[in-house]
């Protein structure tokens, strides 16, 4: 079809200023491992949006809201990237700086800022990385597009199993060693 809209170069297009993802918890919690897992999931979602829009990010913010409704944030500039693998340690450090009150959390969020179009300047060491490591984000994205966003997650993004849903611990009683089944057609070599 035809369109009367003007074609603008990337330099003149309006670029989204930020991408943020946050979640209000169904139940307030103070469990660090659970909160770190949510932080990882939120960061993965934000980075997925970043890649879909073909943008790079140069800033990262983590946000917490406590049960008393006080909200705190921490931000930092980061080396321009599109990878949650590089961003997560920074997000975790910001989270640890924020989570100082002896109070439960009701909301956690992450924001990617200083967005730009274009690619990331590769590190001098990038060519030395195995090809499988360099292509991993692309492969993960293909799997998610085909089977859904939760079809493949980083280990740090998998929610821990609640104690009521954990399998029972194995018994500490000694069991007799397993013996292979006897076949009447074969001679006994024992």
């Amino acid at each position: 079809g035809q369109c009367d809209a003007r074609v603008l170069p990337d330099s003149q297009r309006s670029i989204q200023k930020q991408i943020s993802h946050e979640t209000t918890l169904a139940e307030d919690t103070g469990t660090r491992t659970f909160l770190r897992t949510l932080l990882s999931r939120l960061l993965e979602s934000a980075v997925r949006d970043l890649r879909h829009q073909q943008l790079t990010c140069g800033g990262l913010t983590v946000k917490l809201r406590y049960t008393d409704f006080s909200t705190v944030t921490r931000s930092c500039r980061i080396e321009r990237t599109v990878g949650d693998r590089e961003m997560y340690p920074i997000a975790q450090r910001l989270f640890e700086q924020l989570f100082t009150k002896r109070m439960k959390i009701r909301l956690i969020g992450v924001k990617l800022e200083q967005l730009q179009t274009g690619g990331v300047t590769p590190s001098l060491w990038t060519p030395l990385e195995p090809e499988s490591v360099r292509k991993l984000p692309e492969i993960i994205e293909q799997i998610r597009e085909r089977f859904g966003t939760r079809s493949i997650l980083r280990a740090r993004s998998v929610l821990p199993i609640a104690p009521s849903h954990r399998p029972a611990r194995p018994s500490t009683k000694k069991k007799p060693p397993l013996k292979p089944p006897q076949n009447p057609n074969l001679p006994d070599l024992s």
Side-chain angles (χ1 to χ4, degrees):
Q2 294 182 351
C3 179
D4 294 331
R6 286 187 9 201
V7 175
L8 298 174
D10 286 343
S11 60
Q12 293 180 4
R13 289 186 191 161
S14 63
I15 299 172
Q16 187 174 348
K17 295 189 186 290
Q18 65 187 24
I19 295 174
S20 62
H21 286 257
E22 58 186 38
T23 186
T24 301
L25 306 174
E27 190 175 312
D28 299 348
T29 185
T31 309
R32 281 183 190 275
T33 54
F34 178 72
L35 291 168
R36 282 190 202 114
T37 300
L38 289 178
L39 179 67
S40 178
R41 280 188 170 198
L42 292 168
L43 186 61
E44 280 190 57
S45 296
V47 167
R48 191 169 30 259
D49 290 350
L50 187 74
R51 284 193 187 118
H52 280 297
Q53 296 176 38
Q54 298 177 342
L55 298 171
T56 62
C57 144
L60 178 64
T61 299
V62 173
K63 173 181 175 181
L64 296 180
R65 181 167 296 140
Y66 291 97
T67 55
D68 67 353
F69 287 93
S70 62
T71 303
V72 291
T73 61
R74 287 286 181 275
S75 301
C76 74
R77 292 190 63 139
I78 59 174
E79 192 172 315
R80 191 149 296 285
T81 186
V82 292
D84 61 312
R85 188 176 78 170
E86 297 85 11
M87 286 187 235
Y88 182 72
I90 298 164
Q92 187 175 3
R93 181 175 46 86
L94 294 173
F95 168 78
E96 294 301 333
Q97 290 173 359
L98 289 172
F99 192 45
T100 56
K101 288 184 178 181
R102 292 187 177 261
M103 198 178 293
K104 291 183 176 181
I105 301 294
R106 71 178 315 111
L107 177 141
I108 185 168
V110 66
K111 178 169 55 173
L112 307 180
E113 304 170 289
Q114 300 171 20
L115 306 182
Q116 289 181 353
T117 57
V120 176
T121 305
S123 161
L124 290 174
W125 308 113
T126 301
L128 301 175
E129 288 181 340
E131 185 177 0
S132 59
V133 172
R134 288 192 311 259
K135 291 192 175 221
L136 185 61
E138 182 182 320
I139 293 167
I140 288 172
E141 194 56 37
Q142 289 172 358
I143 292 169
R144 286 178 176 159
E145 284 179 13
R146 184 166 180 193
F147 299 107
T149 56
R150 293 188 179 172
S151 60
I152 186 167
L153 297 170
R154 292 192 179 273
R156 66 175 185 245
S157 296
V158 176
L159 290 172
I161 299 173
S164 61
H165 295 94
R166 286 192 183 132
R169 291 187 179 194
S171 173
T172 56
K173 294 180 184 178
K174 296 263 183 179
K175 293 183 180 179
L178 293 174
K179 294 183 180 180
Q182 296 290 328
N183 187 338
N185 299 329
L186 295 175
D188 187 12
L189 299 175
S190 53

